[in-house]
């Protein structure tokens, strides 16, 4: 609805071939005084102003779930076209989990988009977030999965976290895990938090940052 | 196909998509995808600390194989 308003408000200025010329002519007419060109510019400016206020209203409406749904749609467009060009077979599932849009590319031959240790997947996610943010004007935290990589990794890491937590609880001595990316550490922290008598922290600098599991004092 | 993929990825993250141009150049050092964008979009394509350029390289290596280079060409120079 508000998008529609923004569109119609933009059209007159965009379709008016004289709009650009008017802008230049007025820059000159600052010294030459206002004439017919000045009038043309004022109407172009008015059209631009109403487009801006309509866009403001649109972004104000796009908070919470509506924004996350829109993020998913933009991401799906960006990724679908990429799959098309690469001639990869894949379907795109959209979801909203908590405060994030979740986008999953599902298919069989997607290894090229996952890469070693999910490095390519992280890169595609980064670019997709940028593409989304460019259109919404808001930084995106969307999560991308390809070929079930993150889902499987989540299962493995939950296991790693739970086992480390139980070992620390039983031995009373802290344990440092292998370096992980932010997504992986989050999964491990959650798994550790589910075990009584232990807690976890992250230490070190990316990309060597790792989770440390400690006994509760 | 690789040019088209990179062109699409870059067009989606810049303010001037129509100014994006990607060429595949084969030289002694192998294949290089040369990216040209509007001067105002250079920062967007490179990203803070080169983060975005690194992501573009990572994706293109992933789909195009090792040895595929991505160069962001500074058209002002």
């Amino acid at each position: 609805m508000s998008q529609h308003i923004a569109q119609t408000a933009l059209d007159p200025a965009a379709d008016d071939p004289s709009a650009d010329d008017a802008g230049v002519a007025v820059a000159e007419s600052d010294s030459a005084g206002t004439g017919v060109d000045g009038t043309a510019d004022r109407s172009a400016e008015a059209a631009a102003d109403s487009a801006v206020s309509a866009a403001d209203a649109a972004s104000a409406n796009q908070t919470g779930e509506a924004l996350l749904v829109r993020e998913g749609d933009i991401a799906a467009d960006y990724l679908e076209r990429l799959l098309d060009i690469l001639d990869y077979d894949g379907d795109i599932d959209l979801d909203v989990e908590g405060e994030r849009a979740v986008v999953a590319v599902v298919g069989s031959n997607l290894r090229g988009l996952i890469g070693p240790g999910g490095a390519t997947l992280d890169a595609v996610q980064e670019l997709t977030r940028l593409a989304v943010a460019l259109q919404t004007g808001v930084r995106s935290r969307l999560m991308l999965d390809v070929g079930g990589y993150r889902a499987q990794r989540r299962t493995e890491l939950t296991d790693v976290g739970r086992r480390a937590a139980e070992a620390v609880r039983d031995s009373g001595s802290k344990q440092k895990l292998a370096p992980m990316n932010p997504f992986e550490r989050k999964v491990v922290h959650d798994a550790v938090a589910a075990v009584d008598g232990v807690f976890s922290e992250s230490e070190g600098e990316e990309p060597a940052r790792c989770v440390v599991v400690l006994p509760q004092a | 196909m690789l040019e088209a993929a990179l062109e699409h990825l870059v067009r989606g993250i810049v303010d001037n998509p129509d100014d994006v141009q990607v060429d595949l150049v084969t030289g002694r050092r192998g294949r290089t995808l040369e990216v040209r964008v509007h001067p105002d979009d250079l920062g967007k394509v490179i990203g803070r600390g080169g983060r975005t350029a690194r992501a573009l390289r990572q994706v293109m290596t992933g789909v195009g194989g090792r040895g595929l280079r991505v160069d962001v060409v500074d058209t002002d120079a």
Side-chain angles (χ1 to χ4, degrees):
Chain A
M1 174 69 182
S2 35
Q3 253 177 308
H4 177 70
I5 293 165
Q7 193 56 53
T8 49
L10 271 171
D11 278 347
D15 290 342
D16 183 359
S18 70
D20 280 345
D21 298 334
V24 174
V26 167
E28 287 163 358
S29 76
D30 273 320
S31 51
T34 24
V36 182
D37 288 332
T39 323
D41 181 63
R42 270 197 297 277
S43 64
E45 227 173 78
D49 278 354
S50 64
V52 166
S53 56
D56 281 350
S59 69
N61 281 341
Q62 270 156 12
T63 50
E65 177 126 3
L67 173 65
L68 297 181
V69 168
R70 182 155 177 249
E71 285 193 8
D73 288 340
I74 298 167
D77 283 349
Y78 188 63
L79 294 166
E80 243 157 35
R81 180 89 188 96
L82 178 65
L83 294 175
D84 258 15
I85 294 170
L86 295 172
D87 206 15
Y88 283 10
D89 271 331
D91 287 324
I92 295 178
D93 287 346
L94 299 178
D95 202 355
V96 170
E97 263 176 39
E99 304 280 287
R100 279 175 211 250
V102 178
V103 180
V105 181
V106 188
S108 48
N109 261 320
L110 298 168
R111 220 169 303 157
L113 287 178
I114 298 171
T120 308
L121 168 56
D122 286 338
V124 178
Q125 173 176 281
E126 168 97 15
L127 296 172
T128 305
R129 284 177 171 181
L130 292 174
V132 167
L134 185 71
Q135 291 194 40
T136 61
V138 185
R139 204 173 140 216
S140 169
R141 297 172 60 234
L142 76 81
M143 192 169 79
L144 175 69
D145 196 0
V146 173
Y149 177 83
R150 284 205 210 282
Q152 195 199 325
R153 194 78 184 114
R154 183 193 296 266
T155 308
E156 289 166 12
L157 289 167
T158 299
D159 224 43
V160 167
R162 186 180 41 79
R163 276 191 216 167
E166 287 168 359
V168 170
R169 180 194 60 196
D170 297 344
S171 70
S173 52
K174 76 170 190 179
Q175 195 172 324
K176 187 172 169 176
L177 303 178
M180 294 173 189
N181 70 29
F183 159 77
E184 296 172 325
R185 294 197 305 270
K186 164 95 170 66
V187 175
V188 173
H189 284 307
D190 287 349
V192 173
V195 176
D196 285 337
V198 294
F199 70 103
S200 58
E201 308 178 325
S202 292
E203 64 174 47
E205 295 297 320
E206 299 278 7
R209 198 162 166 79
C210 24
V211 174
V212 183
V213 185
L214 306 109
Q216 212 115 48
Chain B
M1 177 190 89
L2 293 172
E3 298 103 296
L6 183 56
E7 186 178 319
H8 167 69
L9 289 173
V10 174
R11 283 179 65 103
I13 62 169
V14 297
D15 290 322
N16 305 281
D18 290 343
D19 292 347
V20 175
Q21 196 195 326
V22 177
D23 300 294
L24 179 63
V25 180
T26 308
R28 246 173 307 150
R29 295 202 289 173
R31 299 170 300 159
T32 303
L33 288 162
E34 291 184 350
V35 184
R36 287 176 176 78
V37 297
H38 191 283
D40 294 348
D41 285 327
L42 259 182
K44 280 207 148 94
V45 175
I46 293 165
R48 207 194 315 148
R51 195 181 153 122
T52 307
R54 214 176 307 130
L56 289 166
R57 283 192 187 103
Q58 176 68 50
V59 176
M60 295 318 296
T61 307
V63 300
R66 293 222 160 267
L68 177 64
R69 294 155 47 91
V70 174
D71 271 0
V72 178
V73 180
D74 190 340
T75 42
D76 274 351

